[in-house]
Amino acid sequence: MGLLGRISGFILSLFGKKHVRIGIYGPPNAGKTTLANRIAKDWTGEIVGEVSEIPHETRKIQKKDKVIIKNGKSSLTIDIIDTPGIATKIDFHDFMEYGLVEEEAKKRAKEATEGVIEAIKWLDNVDGVILLMDSTKNPFTQVNITILGNLEARELPFIIVANKIDLDGSTPATLKSAFPKHDVIPISALEGINMDLLYETMVRKFGKRK
Amino acid sequence: MAKGNEINISFIAQEKLNNLNSEEKLKFILKEVKKGHILVLESGLSSEEQAKLIEMTMEDINDGFVGIEMESYMEEKKGFWQKFFGKRNRMTIVGPADKLKTIYRDKEVIKTIIKAG
């Protein structure tokens, strides 16, 4: 950690927030639960929830409380809120393509719609947000734009995280140029790549008093 | 009312929606979209209204209605005057997800196709 980091760490330790509730938001299959698991595992040794290739695996809010993240001499205690993926459409036929029978697919679709509603409502209960995007995909989706607009309107501190940089076709630079005024951190939650930079940014960004 | 392969597209002037409060506006939009109509809103929805519209859409999804496709540009950053006089929302396009499909978008261009039938 450089001199600047040590100074900001010292200032945060004097004046910063110590315990915040951080929501992980994004579209389905961006890797939200994988990231929640990575953070929880790195600092507590436990995981938050199951992951799956099938979209909308997380259909209810999952929490991991009191995760202490350290960055040099400063630290931050966070409650991780892993949210269901936000979508504007949910078609049960899409789940059947993953081998689910019709009844299961319809049940999953119904639960997924409830999950989207719950995720949006939880925006009122978080102190900060990690907006997770898949760096192999176009960042200009309506879901990303709508979430971003809501974070700005609520004046919530947030970090844009470009996930899946371990995959071919990942272009984190596209995300950085798409959102030049915001912090964009490229990571692989699955492989644990660049997590130190994310933790440093989280402590700096979410540790600040409003 | 559109018939057969015809698609109904309504261009809604801001005066029409200005007379409605947020909830009335979103109910109107969802009602039209569920009829299969595509709406082009001159004065679009705010981010909060978009989130609320997604919530209301989720409540209405069933076997015959799979949701919406919605497109708008990023909101302009709040400037000095907008803090006093409010932001102008940007144009929004909303339609049923089985008819309106986005094929490309970047910061300045949105390309969609409309599927008939």
Side-chain angles (χ1 to χ4, degrees):
Chain A
M1 189 168 51
L3 180 64
L4 202 64
R6 282 203 295 275
I7 294 169
S8 75
F10 174 70
I11 293 169
L12 273 179
S13 69
L14 290 179
F15 304 109
K17 280 190 203 173
K18 282 289 177 189
H19 191 166
V20 288
R21 194 180 264 177
I22 303 301
I24 302 177
Y25 278 83
N29 274 23
K32 294 179 294 301
T33 304
T34 305
L35 176 59
N37 285 345
R38 169 65 60 185
I39 298 171
K41 195 126 180 48
D42 280 354
W43 300 101
T44 70
E46 295 168 1
I47 64 162
V48 177
E50 296 298 319
V51 295
S52 162
E53 290 284 299
I54 310 175
H56 296 282
E57 175 66 16
T58 305
R59 299 185 294 283
K60 280 183 183 298
I61 294 284
Q62 305 183 124
K63 285 178 70 189
K64 182 79 186 160
D65 289 342
K66 293 182 183 163
V67 177
I68 301 169
I69 293 176
K70 291 181 180 162
N71 178 44
K73 285 185 179 170
S74 50
S75 68
L76 181 71
T77 304
I78 63 168
D79 296 341
I80 303 170
I81 315 295
D82 176 27
T83 68
I86 294 181
T88 60
K89 52 184 176 269
I90 295 172
D91 185 346
F92 75 89
H93 293 100
D94 294 341
F95 300 130
M96 293 174 74
E97 288 176 15
Y98 288 87
L100 270 65
V101 297
E102 187 170 327
E103 195 183 339
E104 273 181 307
K106 283 184 175 174
K107 183 170 178 275
R108 191 180 185 94
K110 177 72 184 150
E111 289 170 357
T113 62
E114 292 163 0
V116 173
I117 294 169
E118 193 184 17
I120 293 172
K121 289 197 186 306
W122 261 82
L123 275 172
D124 293 331
N125 299 322
V126 293
D127 302 305
V129 164
I130 292 174
L131 174 51
L132 193 65
M133 300 184 191
D134 183 337
S135 66
T136 66
K137 294 189 174 161
N138 182 0
F140 293 103
T141 66
Q142 192 58 40
V143 165
N144 287 342
I145 304 297
T146 299
I147 299 173
L148 194 62
N150 274 272
L151 301 178
E152 287 176 342
R154 288 169 161 83
E155 297 186 348
L156 279 171
F158 66 93
I159 303 166
I160 298 173
V161 173
N163 193 24
K164 306 191 184 184
I165 61 167
D166 56 307
L167 296 184
D168 289 340
S170 161
T171 54
T174 307
L175 268 79
K176 285 198 175 193
S177 64
F179 309 107
K181 291 175 183 162
H182 301 294
D183 284 320
V184 178
I185 310 293
I187 66 156
S188 165
L190 186 66
E191 301 294 336
I193 300 169
N194 228 13
M195 293 303 293
D196 286 346
L197 178 61
L198 176 60
Y199 295 139
E200 186 187 321
T201 311
M202 285 172 72
V203 172
R204 176 171 51 82
K205 191 99 181 178
F206 299 138
K208 272 187 203 162
R209 283 192 189 280
K210 270 178 112 176
Chain B
M1 174 71 77
K3 289 176 187 168
N5 289 337
E6 295 173 357
I7 302 280
N8 188 318
I9 305 175
S10 305
F11 297 82
I12 312 288
Q14 63 175 344
E15 288 79 5
K16 163 87 179 164
L17 297 183
N18 281 352
N19 294 327
L20 306 175
N21 65 35
S22 239
E23 194 175 340
E24 288 168 340
K25 193 195 294 189
L26 299 178
K27 277 184 178 167
F28 165 77
I29 292 167
L30 200 51
K31 191 175 156 200
E32 292 297 305
V33 169
K34 285 174 74 178
K35 284 188 218 163
H37 297 179
I38 291 165
L39 307 183
V40 180
L41 311 175
E42 182 196 14
S43 173
L45 302 176
S46 68
S47 295
E48 294 98 321
E49 287 171 334
Q50 289 173 18
K52 190 68 196 162
L53 182 62
I54 294 173
E55 278 188 57
M56 290 167 69
T57 300
M58 290 298 123
E59 285 167 4
D60 282 6
I61 282 181
N62 55 41
D63 292 358
F65 175 62
V66 298
I68 60 169
E69 183 82 5
M70 172 168 57
E71 296 297 340
S72 67
Y73 300 106
M74 270 194 272
E75 283 191 357
E76 294 152 336
K77 198 85 179 160
K78 227 183 229 182
F80 178 77
W81 292 110
Q82 286 154 333
K83 282 183 182 168
F84 286 96
F85 299 111
K87 280 187 294 185
R88 187 178 63 84
N89 297 328
R90 307 185 76 179
M91 185 191 73
T92 304
I93 305 166
V94 196
D98 58 353
K99 287 198 168 63
L100 184 66
K101 188 173 168 55
T102 305
I103 52 169
Y104 173 82
R105 71 176 286 173
D106 62 26
K107 219 174 231 178
E108 294 151 345
V109 177
I110 296 171
K111 291 183 184 176
T112 65
I113 52 170
I114 297 169
K115 291 185 278 184

